[in-house]
Amino acid sequence: MKSDVKLLGAWPSPYVLRVRIALNMKSVDYEFHEERFPDKSPLLLKSNPIHKKIPVLIHKDKPLSESLIIVQYVDDVWSSASPILPSDPYDRAMARFWADYIDQTLYPTMKSIRGAADQEGKNRLIEEVREGLALLEDVFKSSSKGKGFYGGDQIGLLDIALGCFLGWLRVVETVNGVKLLNQTNTPELLKWADRFCAHAAVKDVMPETGRLVEFSKTLPK
Amino acid sequence: MMEDVKVFGLWASPFTQRVVWALKLKGVNYEYIGEDLFNKSNLLLQYNPVYKKVPVLVHDGKPIAESMVILQYIDETWPQTPLLPQDAYQRANVLFWSKFIDEKTVDMMKFFRYDGEEQEKAMKENWESLRVMEKESGLSEKKFIGGNRIGLADLALGWVAHTLEAMGDVIGVKFITPDAFPHLHSWMGNFLEIPAIKNNLPPHEHAVEYFTEKRKMFLAMNYHHHHH
């Protein structure tokens, strides 16, 4: 079935997951093209010549890249259903700030745990991730305003920006024998994580932790 | 109701200048508080506990950090002189270039911090980044990045039109020449002609004086780094 929405991606990628969740929230029909790494398809190279990275959304033959930019685009175009960005400009700024923090600081730190030189290095990085999650626990309390998600009643930008990393976060927990989300330090995020993963827009596309653990073993350090 | 807008910044920083230009373009009144990065005010640390950096915008007591987040906030709060296109796809395109440019900014200033081989490498990377912008950002078709009016991506890049020039003067290199980068060179001219920009630039001599001192400091740091 030909659709005018195509998504170039790969099942383990949290950035691709962001776009899938956004499209699901808007009930958009799309074709998913799984990239077979390390080879990059000609379509990917043509559609994202500058970064040559996934995700790439192709809407009516026009390509878009950068996951959060694509999510905002999806929110703009399919604007009648399930808003993703908050409506208040200050809330939008806070969501963007924390999404940027996750991309600039939290996830890079998490990713570097695997390649750390020694256990001491690993422990330091794990501690940094814990500190970041503690910040995001506080943000959850103010952003959710007593509801289930950062976006309130419904999943919003920051839920998607953080939630996409839950699979990989669980890989870090499994491989290192630690609990990054736990009842003591992050009680709200612990509950939020289950809610997020059970959400209709997320549950069929969130990769299974066991599968990600196996996949991570194939990655170079 | 009086709107209370404050900007905590550093006059020489590209990141602060973007915010000032956006407010000036939209005719928004604000109070500017200059920060000494070696002696940061308690207010700054309170308003930006995560990064402890400038710029920070405070609107009616509510703080926002990260220059590109601030710019989008300004654009959404004061819609006059819009900095993003109406069309969703064109908007995504301008946001793409804004991100690309913003992410290159710190790297593009590295040549000024280093000397020797590291400086050569940093300068090569600058030329490569500029080549991508020259070729791909649409400046061959449009006056500004993504449109015929100044926008978010232009504000992100604006520092090259004067700060990079001043840094280049101190080192003795000129990056954006009409031969090497004709579109970027035209763009620079167009950018600098806009009154809100032209009237809110530090004088060139002032910038050169500032960066001459900075260069001395970096060279001293490099010396100690290589000779301890």
Side-chain angles (χ1 to χ4, degrees), chain B residues 178-196:
Chain B
D179 287 334
F181 301 107
H183 299 125
L184 278 171
H185 193 260
S186 297
W187 169 84
M188 265 173 59
N190 293 329
F191 181 81
L192 292 171
E193 260 171 31
I194 294 172

Side-chain angles (χ1 to χ4, degrees), chain A residues 97-109:
Chain A
F97 173 87
W98 287 107
D100 177 70
Y101 169 83
I102 290 161
D103 283 356
Q104 254 197 74
T105 306
L106 187 67
Y107 186 57
T109 305

Side-chain angles (χ1 to χ4, degrees), chain A residues 108-132:
Chain A
T109 305
M110 207 168 91
K111 250 191 359 184
S112 64
I113 291 169
R114 201 164 47 83
D118 52 23
Q119 192 58 49
E120 197 190 309
K122 271 196 218 255
N123 291 342
R124 221 178 341 104
L125 292 167
I126 288 170
E127 190 49 42
E128 280 178 38
V129 171
R130 282 193 201 283
E131 284 167 13

Side-chain angles (χ1 to χ4, degrees), chain A residues 113-164:
Chain A
I113 291 169
R114 201 164 47 83
D118 52 23
Q119 192 58 49
E120 197 190 309
K122 271 196 218 255
N123 291 342
R124 221 178 341 104
L125 292 167
I126 288 170
E127 190 49 42
E128 280 178 38
V129 171
R130 282 193 201 283
E131 284 167 13
L133 291 171
L135 284 179
L136 286 160
E137 169 86 3
D138 282 340
V139 174
F140 181 83
K141 288 172 190 155
S142 52
S143 180
S144 63
K145 301 178 173 70
K147 303 287 169 68
F149 298 104
Y150 283 97
D153 277 320
Q154 257 304 354
I155 280 182
L157 182 73
L158 191 47
D159 298 281
I160 294 175
L162 181 59
C164 69

Side-chain angles (χ1 to χ4, degrees), chain A residues 181-200:
Chain A
L181 291 184
N182 57 66
Q183 190 54 41
T184 314
N185 301 318
T186 59
E188 293 301 319
L189 283 186
L190 191 61
K191 287 182 282 189
W192 164 84
D194 285 340
R195 242 178 263 131
F196 182 82
C197 293
H199 191 282

